[in-house]
Amino acid sequence: MCGYGDFAAAYDLLTFNVPYDEIADYYAEILRNMTVGRRVLDMGCGTGNLTVRLAERGFDVIGQDASPEMLSIASGKSSEVMWICQNMEETDIGGNVDVVISTLDSVNHLDRRDAVLRCFRRAADCLESGGAFVFDVNTVCKHREILGGNTFIYDVDGVYCVWQNTFDPRDNGVDIELDLFFENEDGTYSRGEESFREIAFSSDEYCQMLEEAGFAVVNILEYLTYNIPKDDSEKLLISAKKR
């Protein structure tokens, strides 16, 4: 995975409309319904917007991300959270938690099946028997119909972004290219670039990988609801428990 240096600087500006409080409430309710403990590892926490909100809701949270630039921003948001710089597929926190989560399609950023499986196995290693693993992912439908082949323009205070996506049907991946223009104090702009790749699997494939990693799947929901996913659902919420 890349360092997301320029993307880290723009991330919070570009995600101003993400309903973080709603998402944090949703995850908190999911975890309470699974009757697990309150020690949580947030894998791929990015700039920590959800990590901090879960801590505010009473969870004892560790925030983990591979990008030092992302974590530098996250650590300025809370001194209550422990922040760890690690790749998701190399997770080693030196102990156990009750819950591992991965939010905001971080799992999609693992761009090979074996990397996803390693991530799931590392999540299992962090949990006692019966511990929960809960994560959300973009669907194949979203990659193919919403992102693939489309360009999005974001013009917000502080940054102008051209977001280009190319869909690859061989692995339902999306190659993402960002051109970023940061506004300086004197009115000039500095340019940055970022590129990364996301892939998507079917729900059956995620279930198979979870089984291989030692989990039993509890539920697959349409994201931010308690509904059964539809063929055109854009995101899934998958819950599992370690066997």
Side-chain angles (χ1 to χ4, degrees):
M1 298 174 67
C2 66
Y4 300 125
D6 288 330
F7 190 32
Y11 187 84
D12 285 350
L13 296 173
L14 295 174
T15 58
F16 67 94
N17 60 343
V18 173
Y20 288 116
D21 287 317
E22 178 186 356
I23 297 169
D25 288 339
Y26 179 65
Y27 263 92
E29 186 172 9
I30 291 286
L31 299 184
R32 292 186 184 110
N33 289 343
M34 294 182 76
T35 61
V36 290
R38 308 190 73 79
R39 296 173 301 160
V40 178
L41 169 64
D42 184 2
M43 299 175 77
C45 68
T47 61
N49 290 312
L50 281 178
T51 322
V52 169
R53 283 168 170 80
L54 284 173
E56 292 170 349
R57 285 156 175 78
F59 293 93
D60 181 10
V61 191
I62 299 170
Q64 174 215 41
D65 201 89
S67 166
E69 294 88 353
M70 290 280 195
L71 284 179
S72 177
I73 295 170
S75 63
K77 297 176 181 177
S78 175
S79 59
E80 302 297 319
V81 175
M82 178 185 295
W83 306 100
I84 299 176
C85 190
Q86 287 180 339
N87 290 326
M88 293 168 63
E89 64 268 36
E90 298 173 357
T91 301
D92 183 1
I93 59 174
N96 293 109
V97 291
D98 303 308
V99 184
V100 176
I101 64 172
S102 189
T103 67
L104 301 172
D105 54 85
S106 293
V107 169
N108 292 109
H109 285 253
L110 300 168
D111 60 2
R112 302 176 314 282
R113 185 188 189 278
D114 64 322
V116 177
L117 182 56
R118 283 199 306 272
C119 170
F120 288 179
R121 285 175 170 155
R122 300 308 294 168
D125 288 343
C126 295
L127 295 166
E128 302 286 356
S129 179
F133 181 32
V134 183
F135 61 96
D136 62 71
V137 284
N138 289 333
T139 63
V140 173
C141 177
K142 181 174 180 178
H143 277 200
R144 182 180 60 242
E145 305 295 337
I146 306 300
L147 296 180
N150 288 317
T151 298
F152 303 97
I153 304 296
Y154 298 90
D155 187 1
V156 299
D157 286 345
V159 64
Y160 181 87
C161 174
V162 180
W163 185 306
Q164 300 180 77
N165 304 281
T166 303
F167 179 68
D168 187 342
R170 291 173 297 180
D171 62 358
N172 298 311
V174 175
D175 292 294
I176 298 169
E177 301 284 340
L178 303 181
D179 283 311
L180 300 158
F181 300 88
F182 297 95
E183 186 174 3
N184 301 316
E185 291 184 0
D186 62 1
T188 62
Y189 283 82
S190 300
R191 183 177 180 181
E193 296 178 321
E194 203 72 80
S195 63
F196 48 93
R197 192 162 208 278
E198 298 187 21
I199 63 173
F201 296 95
S202 69
S203 57
D204 287 344
E205 289 174 298
Y206 284 118
C207 289
Q208 181 180 353
M209 285 186 279
L210 286 166
E211 292 285 341
E212 289 181 43
F215 288 100
V217 176
V218 174
N219 221 338
I220 301 177
L221 302 171
E222 188 173 59
Y223 186 57
L224 295 184
T225 78
Y226 290 88
N227 300 329
I228 296 172
K230 303 183 290 292
D231 289 342
D232 61 352
S233 295
E234 296 181 16
K235 284 180 70 78
L236 304 177
L237 189 286
I238 301 177
S239 303
K241 283 196 172 183
K242 182 178 176 179
R243 291 195 298 266

